[in-house]
Amino acid sequence: ADTVDIQLYYRPAGYVSGDIYDVQKLDDHHLGFFVADAVGHGVPAALMTMVLLRSLTTTVPGPEGRTILPPGAVLENLNNEMILRHGDVPRFATAAYGIVDTRDRTVTIAGAGHPAPVVLGPDGTRAIETSGGLLGVFPEATFDEAEFVLQPDDMLIIYSDGFETAFPGDGADDYARRVPSNRYMHFFRQTAETWRADNLRAAMDELAGKLNAQSGSLHQIDDL
């Protein structure tokens, strides 16, 4: 849309996944994007993702059509809905939700205990830090927002924490494959470089290929 291009990469660790994403066209010039990671694995985490998506409210009726909710309010509503739905065993999730104005690439984003999104520019990488705890823990929790402008040669990556174990290194044994690291940032930077030299699809295909080449990639530890 306008000056924004989006690509998605999604790889569950098993038959069901606790990671979800959503991208919505909010109006003619705004896109909403959402990534969440339900704490835990298997069916319980997958069921929680259904609750998260059903409860995700990004716009509300207004006097002149639908009004776009700011990211902090979206996460506040989602948090309160999760707490209302708590059963005998409460479940929690991390999340990031943002809005981009496709006319000038202004991004507003809020996070809930989620890995910080990163902006990769030709001159360096910066993390977009937001304060906010896990969804489903504290009633009436608030979620601060960060705002920035993506330059034409900036790439924004929103990801789940499965990437912390996705690149264990050559010859890693079972223990080493489970140790978190930030090696993924090197591969994110390569992805951005390929995008600038070619296109976003080629960059994401290259990232997928590098994930496939990792030790234990057929039995990855976490959803990506």
Side-chain angles (χ1 to χ4, degrees), residues 184-204:
Y184 61 90
M185 287 303 306
H186 167 73
F187 294 92
F188 282 177
R189 285 189 285 270
Q190 289 184 336
T191 300
E193 291 169 3
T194 300
W195 163 62
R196 293 187 197 98
D198 196 344
N199 60 65
L200 191 52
R201 174 58 64 84
M204 294 299 283

Side-chain angles (χ1 to χ4, degrees), residues 104-129:
D104 60 6
R105 296 180 299 277
T106 297
V107 179
T108 308
I109 195 166
H114 202 75
V118 292
V119 175
L120 300 108
D123 299 322
T125 301
R126 69 183 189 276
I128 307 300
E129 300 289 350

Side-chain angles (χ1 to χ4, degrees), residues 32-82:
F33 50 89
F34 177 68
V35 175
D37 181 358
V39 174
H41 296 284
V43 173
L47 291 173
M48 177 53 65
T49 65
M50 297 171 60
V51 172
L52 289 166
L53 282 181
R54 282 202 307 268
S55 304
L56 183 66
T57 303
T58 57
T59 62
V60 294
E64 299 180 359
R66 298 197 67 83
T67 298
I68 297 173
L69 291 176
V74 169
L75 292 186
E76 286 178 29
N77 293 339
L78 195 55
N79 178 66
N80 292 333
E81 185 67 21
M82 285 183 64

Side-chain angles (χ1 to χ4, degrees), residues 5-213:
D5 192 6
I6 293 175
Q7 287 286 333
L8 299 162
Y9 180 83
Y10 181 65
R11 180 181 291 181
Y15 291 108
V16 295
S17 175
D19 283 9
I20 53 170
Y21 65 84
D22 188 55
V23 178
Q24 299 181 12
K25 183 177 181 180
L26 304 176
D27 64 16
D28 288 343
H29 300 293
H30 293 88
L31 292 175
F33 50 89
F34 177 68
V35 175
D37 181 358
V39 174
H41 296 284
V43 173
L47 291 173
M48 177 53 65
T49 65
M50 297 171 60
V51 172
L52 289 166
L53 282 181
R54 282 202 307 268
S55 304
L56 183 66
T57 303
T58 57
T59 62
V60 294
E64 299 180 359
R66 298 197 67 83
T67 298
I68 297 173
L69 291 176
V74 169
L75 292 186
E76 286 178 29
N77 293 339
L78 195 55
N79 178 66
N80 292 333
E81 185 67 21
M82 285 183 64
I83 290 173
L84 285 174
R85 291 172 176 265
H86 271 181
D88 295 335
V89 181
R91 300 207 58 88
F92 313 110
T94 71
Y97 176 72
I99 297 170
V100 57
D101 186 326
T102 59
R103 293 166 295 188
D104 60 6
R105 296 180 299 277
T106 297
V107 179
T108 308
I109 195 166
H114 202 75
V118 292
V119 175
L120 300 108
D123 299 322
T125 301
R126 69 183 189 276
I128 307 300
E129 300 289 350
T130 57
S131 62
L134 289 171
L135 295 176
V137 179
F138 298 109
E140 309 304 326
T142 59
F143 303 89
D144 292 341
E145 297 171 352
E147 184 174 293
F148 57 95
V149 176
L150 280 174
Q151 300 303 316
D153 50 3
D154 283 346
M155 172 184 281
L156 172 65
I157 296 185
I158 305 97
Y159 62 100
S160 62
D161 64 3
F163 274 94
E164 294 175 0
T165 54
F167 295 101
D170 296 336
D173 59 18
D174 187 63
Y175 171 78
R177 288 181 53 228
R178 296 178 179 276
V179 176
S181 76
N182 62 356
R183 293 187 73 235
Y184 61 90
M185 287 303 306
H186 167 73
F187 294 92
F188 282 177
R189 285 189 285 270
Q190 289 184 336
T191 300
E193 291 169 3
T194 300
W195 163 62
R196 293 187 197 98
D198 196 344
N199 60 65
L200 191 52
R201 174 58 64 84
M204 294 299 283
D205 287 347
E206 180 182 83
L207 179 61
K210 289 175 178 176
L211 283 162
N212 289 338

